[in-house]
Amino acid sequence: MSTTLSVPVRLDIDALCPGFSRAMVRLDAAATGELDSAEIEGPLRQLVRIRASQLNGCAYCVDLHTKDALEEGESFGRLAAVSVWRESPFFTQRERSALSLTESITRAADTHVADEEWSTAATDFLPTELGALVALIVTINAWNSIGVTTRAWTPVLVGSVLPVETNPVETAGVAEPEPC
């Protein structure tokens, strides 16, 4: 069995800036309230959180929201495909629109949230839904910035790797193709 690497905490932001940490929790609650009011579905919320966290390189948030999505009934296959959603058939037009907007807002310094991205999202979401999505995307990006900068929170590996099933091609005496 291989060992995992310990990533040291740089700054315990929660202990050192408790007022700021409480404000972030309130911001998150406000964004969640907007999502609830706009009736944005749970799976879409998690896909957005995961995608922004992937782009920002926030291991803690990727771990946390992947687990949340699994607990909410999201499939492992769709979660594994979030990073390649444009090439995957697993996502609805509405989800694609939200993921595209997530990428554009997360990379705002480069994209300036192009009119095309916004127009596509505005076709698939009502204005109240768009407002709630913007609140969610801005909030997860703030959490990611804190997590990546301070490494204040560490993901925890729970469980074990899924067992490898017997490959039916192997059992038929046919050689398995080489991995990509």
Side-chain angles (χ1 to χ4, degrees):
M1 178 178 282
S2 63
T3 59
T4 58
L5 175 67
S6 176
V7 179
V9 172
R10 290 178 174 165
L11 182 76
D12 185 350
I13 191 85
D14 295 325
L16 295 169
C17 299
F20 175 75
S21 292
R22 286 190 301 274
M24 279 301 302
V25 170
R26 287 191 304 275
L27 176 65
D28 195 81
T32 300
E34 297 300 333
L35 293 164
D36 291 345
S37 293
E39 299 181 355
I40 300 292
E41 53 274 21
L44 181 60
R45 298 175 189 198
Q46 297 305 342
L47 294 175
V48 165
R49 287 178 177 121
I50 292 165
R51 186 62 187 136
S53 300
Q54 289 172 335
L55 293 170
N56 289 318
C58 186
Y60 178 80
C61 290
V62 169
D63 179 63
L64 174 69
H65 297 298
T66 299
K67 288 174 184 170
D68 289 346
L70 287 167
E71 287 175 7
E72 292 175 16
E74 185 59 80
S75 76
F76 177 79
R78 279 175 34 104
L79 292 174
V82 169
S83 65
V84 292
W85 67 270
R86 289 183 194 274
E87 291 78 27
S88 171
F90 304 149
F91 302 98
T92 67
Q93 176 55 40
R94 182 174 165 88
E95 291 166 338
R96 290 174 178 284
S97 192
L99 290 168
S100 182
L101 186 63
T102 300
E103 289 183 359
S104 192
I105 292 173
T106 300
R107 295 178 170 153
D110 297 326
T111 69
H112 299 278
V113 188
D115 288 339
E116 179 183 332
E117 299 289 334
W118 186 262
S119 295
T120 300
T123 301
D124 294 321
F125 293 95
L126 298 171
T128 54
E129 293 174 319
L130 273 175
L133 279 175
V134 168
L136 171 63
I137 296 164
V138 167
T139 301
I140 191 60
N141 277 293
W143 282 120
N144 293 163
S145 292
I146 296 164
V148 169
T149 302
T150 67
R151 297 182 183 153
W153 315 295
T154 305
V156 178
L157 186 61
V158 178
S160 62
V161 177
L162 298 173
V164 177
E165 295 180 18
T166 304
N167 186 331
V169 174
E170 260 181 3
T171 58
V174 178
E176 186 174 348
E178 290 295 316
C180 297

